[in-house]
Amino acid sequence: MDSKTKTRMTYQRQVILEELAKVTSHPTAYDLHKMVNKRLPKISLGTVYRNLELLSESNEIQRLDVSGHQRRFDANAKDHHHIRCIHCSRVDDLPIDTTSVLEDIVFRTSEYTVLGHKIEFYGICPECKVKEQKHQEKDDISKDKNKSKTRR
Amino acid sequence: MDSKTKTRMTYQRQVILEELAKVTSHPTAYDLHKMVNKRLPKISLGTVYRNLELLSESNEIQRLDVSGHQRRFDANAKDHHHIRCIHCSRVDDLPIDTTSVLEDIVFRTSEYTVLGHKIEFYGICPECKVKEQKHQEKDDISKDKNKSKTRR
DNA sequence: TCCTTATTAGTAATGATTACTATTACTAAT
DNA sequence: ATTAGTAATAGTAATCATTACTAATAAGGA
């Protein structure tokens, strides 16, 4: 179902992408709506949200779910880290690599005064892994009566 | 003004703290309200939110602003990292130290399948540092007519 | 016991995001 | 080009977490 739907490059989506690419400021959907609005006075906030979502799903842009703050977007789709000001919430890029010693590196690469950092890992918990396996088995049985090895 | 207000240890606050300490599940304010509700049937959700906020400000508990997800709370006030399941949103502790090689370590210490991680640093941006300095100078002038060295 | 005021319960408001719906406009096949 | 099918849109309503407001209550020191 998902694999059959084809996305169309609409003018709205084009403009959203262009406007996002123009800035390095990591705008929110609302910010971007204001920016795009100058070229497309009738575009709705919902359209901006939906397109940003689609674009980030197809990895053309990056979605920044900033802890405890409003979501932001980044035309740079390459994985990289960010730093946020606790006063004005401005978010800047950090061209560092994750495997190096952390705050020390930031101290050398950023003009921020680093107060701390948070790391959030994501993955699949043991319980969900079991569930996933069970579903997988069911699918295998219903889709194919032959025995099949459990995919990993 | 803030420094003059004295907080009172209310029964509600006591119970919230106790119930949070009982679990290791990182409940949301809503979860905690349900838990506390069994002992205090009249407590309101707002009270739970306010007390969790106060308790985390005084570092008696920890507030977890999980990126793009609902806020959670942790009776363990010591700084430590977490891992979240992308399916069920369950959050578990990660007893690792930040300075070590990241996902590799997680792989060894957690039963999760690690799919990735995000790091968010926080601090003060160059512009705000300048503003801070200016405010500081004003304060110094108004509070004290003698010259005073800029505090760092 | 009395007073001051922090705190509460209950409820309304806010603000970000998502959902809904009738209409519009791509795109491919006729 | 015309039509049919269906993404996508504008506009708006709904949702959901969190915060703000207010009159009543209750800590806790004098």
Side-chain angles (χ1 to χ4, degrees), chain B residues 33-137:
Chain B
H33 179 246
K34 276 193 294 183
M35 292 157 64
V36 170
N37 219 10
K38 289 175 188 164
R39 291 172 61 184
L40 304 173
K42 302 203 70 179
I43 197 168
S44 79
L45 182 57
T47 299
V48 174
Y49 265 104
R50 187 166 21 73
N51 278 300
L52 288 171
E53 194 57 35
L54 285 170
L55 288 167
S56 67
E57 270 170 24
S58 61
N59 286 319
E60 293 175 78
I61 66 172
Q62 191 174 170
R63 204 180 105 161
L64 308 182
D65 281 319
V66 188
S67 296
H69 293 265
Q70 207 173 338
R71 186 179 301 157
R72 289 165 175 276
F73 296 88
D74 190 339
N76 179 0
K78 255 184 275 171
D79 238 343
H80 60 284
H81 300 296
H82 297 92
I83 183 157
R84 167 182 54 82
C85 180
I86 58 169
H87 290 149
C88 67
S89 288
R90 161 179 155 183
V91 173
D92 282 323
D93 290 335
L94 274 184
I96 61 161
D97 108 31
T98 305
T99 51
S100 35
V101 187
L102 296 172
E103 284 176 28
D104 203 47
I105 306 291
V106 181
F107 177 74
R108 283 193 265 277
T109 54
S110 166
E111 291 180 60
Y112 273 65
T113 297
V114 181
L115 297 177
H117 71 268
K118 294 204 172 169
I119 310 185
E120 186 181 60
F121 295 90
Y122 51 93
I124 302 166
C125 75
E127 282 172 28
C128 284
K129 269 198 272 190
V130 172
K131 279 185 209 156
E132 233 175 23
Q133 235 174 317
K134 280 184 186 159
H135 284 140
Q136 193 54 60
E137 280 162 19

Side-chain angles (χ1 to χ4, degrees), chain A residues 110-141:
Chain A
S110 166
E111 291 180 59
Y112 274 65
T113 296
V114 181
L115 297 178
H117 71 268
K118 295 202 172 172
I119 309 184
E120 186 182 59
F121 296 90
Y122 51 93
I124 301 166
C125 75
E127 282 172 29
C128 283
K129 270 198 273 190
V130 172
K131 279 184 210 156
E132 233 176 23
Q133 237 173 318
K134 280 183 187 161
H135 284 141
Q136 194 54 60
E137 281 163 19
K138 261 193 224 156
D139 287 357
D140 286 349
I141 290 163

